[in-house]
Amino acid sequence: MLLAARNRAGLSQSAVATAAGVRRAYITKLESSARCPSVAVAQALCVVLALDGDEAALLLGCAVDDAGHNHPARTAA
């Protein structure tokens, strides 16, 4: 769904990554379902890709609130 939305928007992975504040490799992983987005990134992608209600709900439903640099496993190490 993210790949289709990005193609529909006419944006490159790099452009989406820059606008969402993440790395291009992270967008690649999201598009291939290798990663789940954090809530913050999912919200940013909804805006950047102008996702409609159903697409936004799908993406936000997959989002996790403990991803990224604030993950408890990172702070415990």
Side-chain angles (χ1 to χ4, degrees):
M1 184 272 300
L2 284 177
L3 175 61
R6 181 173 61 77
N7 287 334
R8 185 176 62 237
L11 298 171
S12 67
Q13 285 184 337
S14 294
V16 171
T18 299
V22 297
R23 294 183 179 168
R24 187 203 51 79
Y26 186 58
I27 299 299
T28 300
K29 290 176 183 177
L30 292 176
E31 288 183 352
S32 66
S33 299
R35 294 280 308 265
C36 292
S38 67
V39 172
V41 170
Q43 290 170 335
L45 290 173
C46 287
V47 173
V48 170
L49 297 172
L51 299 183
D52 67 23
D54 290 339
E55 289 173 328
L58 178 64
L59 182 59
L60 291 169
C62 295
V64 294
D65 61 0
D66 62 352
H69 296 290
N70 295 328
H71 191 283
R74 290 184 186 264
T75 58

